[in-house]
Amino acid sequence: MSETVVKFGILGCAEIARKKAAKFAADNGFPPGTRAYGSYDAVLDDPEVDAVYVPLPTSLHAKWAVLAAQKKKHLLLEKPVALNVAEFDRIVEACVANGVQFMDGTMWMHHPRTAKMKEFLSNERAFGKLTAMHTCFTFAADPDFLEEDIRVKPDLDALGALGDAGWYCTRSILWGNDYELPKTVTALRGPIFNKAGVILSCGASLYWEDGKVATFHCSFLSHLTMDITAVGTKGTLHVHDFIIPYQESEASFSVASESGFDELVTGWVPKPSEHLVSTSLPQEALMVKEFSSLVGAIKAGGSRPEMKWPIISRKTQLVIDAVTLSIARGFEPVEVVG
């Protein structure tokens, strides 16, 4: 049985002329027949386009994602998915009403390492029950980024570092908690804003009714760090490059289980073990492959959109919204209502 072909359109680079778009496609090995459109509307109006990837500034997501869904285009939307959950709900409603697949662009979710790490977290003998998670994503942006990048512009990406780096941290915490929403979220004191009021650095603590806790820190102002620590009653997981692996073809994580001190309290027994996961495709390609598989099944008939993905995106957005509200309320705890 032949594989269903899924044709993509990309809503991006609106400022470049059609000739420049055509040159970009040629220079980057796009297949013959690739079209360069003069407008976003032209992409959405093309009946041969099955799905669109939307890497536009967050402030434009609601408009163009809804229009894409209304034009029956399946939607791969960059994160953060919206400025707030109310905007995102409009996007999902349009997707559901038009029977199109939604997925956000959190690429590390699709790396085979992620599934392997989840196996450890789900192993009650080796890991026990989750008690705490701590995540961090920071990078030291250069002066040009801090002045000109869309992620520091209030009219383009008003969530700043929280929406960009904080999205990954929040998603990893929810992933570790089987997507159970926290009871409350409290922003940590001392966020840093630029002169336009956009967040450059911030953090938050999350609390669950059963006693689990989590914290995250995200920043455009600190050295490149991409860490997850998950602590259970019997084990611990560490990963230091969870968003973009050190190498494209393989990625590692370490685990410790029922560790203690040796007799003289001079070392660990047993020591943590390192686990290496190889992949023949980069995580970005695996993300597109999974999305295309879902779209292809719908296109071929007999399948409905997989709702897991918009549900996960919505929960991530809810936590981001709670952090924003906690900052606005002077770092008070904010209850998360799903």
Side-chain angles (χ1 to χ4, degrees):
M1 186 176 178
S2 62
E3 193 173 22
T4 302
V5 174
V6 176
K7 295 184 178 180
F8 276 81
I10 301 175
L11 301 192
C13 299
E15 75 280 2
I16 66 175
R18 183 191 301 268
K19 289 182 180 179
K20 287 187 178 180
K23 184 178 185 301
F24 177 84
D27 290 347
N28 286 276
F30 282 44
T34 298
R35 299 172 184 173
Y37 299 88
S39 68
Y40 300 154
D41 288 304
V43 179
L44 301 182
D45 287 336
D46 187 340
E48 292 194 23
V49 172
D50 300 305
V52 290
Y53 169 54
V54 182
L56 296 172
T58 310
S59 61
L60 300 177
H61 282 190
K63 174 183 176 179
W64 290 105
V66 168
L67 283 172
Q70 290 172 342
K71 296 284 187 177
K72 309 292 187 183
K73 309 303 183 189
H74 302 277
L75 187 60
L76 181 57
L77 184 64
E78 261 309 329
K79 33 61 48 193
V81 291
L83 292 174
N84 52 61
V85 79
E87 280 194 358
F88 183 62
D89 284 347
R90 287 175 48 212
I91 295 171
V92 175
E93 286 166 8
C95 289
V96 171
N98 290 280
V100 300
Q101 181 64 52
F102 175 89
M103 183 184 286
D104 73 42
T106 310
M107 62 279 187
W108 72 268
M109 299 284 297
H110 305 271
H111 196 289
R113 172 178 62 177
T114 304
K116 288 294 184 183
M117 293 192 297
K118 192 61 175 177
E119 286 179 14
F120 176 72
L121 297 184
S122 301
N123 186 332
E124 286 209 19
R125 276 201 318 177
F127 182 73
K129 296 186 180 298
L130 181 69
T131 60
M133 284 192 73
H134 308 286
T135 70
C136 178
F137 178 25
T138 64
F139 61 90
D142 62 32
D144 184 65
F145 178 105
L146 294 174
E147 288 292 331
E148 302 299 334
D149 194 89
I150 63 170
R151 286 167 283 184
V152 299
K153 301 290 186 181
D155 57 334
L156 296 175
D157 269 296
L159 295 172
L162 175 61
D164 183 42
W167 180 273
Y168 292 108
C169 296
T170 300
R171 173 63 60 81
S172 67
I173 290 170
L174 292 173
W175 165 81
N177 282 275
D178 293 326
Y179 302 105
E180 177 191 355
L181 284 168
K183 176 67 174 177
T184 62
V185 172
T186 307
L188 301 181
R189 294 182 179 274
I192 299 173
F193 300 86
N194 67 9
K195 58 188 177 185
V198 176
I199 294 172
L200 300 181
S201 180
C202 71
S205 56
L206 291 69
Y207 301 88
W208 283 258
E209 285 187 307
D210 62 1
K212 294 193 299 291
V213 297
T215 62
F216 76 81
H217 176 67
C218 59
S219 178
F220 293 156
L221 304 175
S222 300
H223 186 262
L224 181 61
T225 304
M226 298 179 174
D227 283 1
I228 296 174
T229 297
V231 183
T233 53
K234 296 181 179 179
T236 304
L237 176 143
H238 290 290
V239 58
H240 299 299
D241 58 349
F242 81 98
I243 300 164
I244 300 174
Y246 297 140
Q247 299 182 67
E248 192 174 84
S249 60
E250 60 184 28
S252 66
F253 63 98
S254 67
V255 302
S257 186
E258 297 190 323
S259 296
F261 298 120
D262 62 17
E263 188 175 350
L264 297 177
V265 195
T266 58
W268 287 37
V269 180
K271 295 177 181 178
S273 57
E274 191 84 6
H275 299 263
L276 191 66
V277 181
S278 298
T279 177
S280 58
L281 291 173
Q283 59 187 6
E284 295 81 3
L286 291 169
M287 176 179 69
V288 173
K289 185 177 180 180
E290 182 165 1
F291 177 71
S292 298
S293 177
L294 294 171
V295 172
I298 297 168
K299 185 179 176 183
S303 292
R304 298 172 62 84
E306 172 58 72
M307 290 304 295
K308 173 182 80 171
W309 295 108
I311 289 171
I312 292 172
S313 298
R314 188 177 194 274
K315 288 183 175 182
T316 310
Q317 187 72 53
L318 280 168
V319 175
I320 296 293
D321 285 6
V323 177
T324 303
L325 185 57
S326 179
I327 292 173
R329 290 180 175 177
F331 312 101
E332 291 182 358
V334 171
E335 186 172 356
V336 180
V337 179

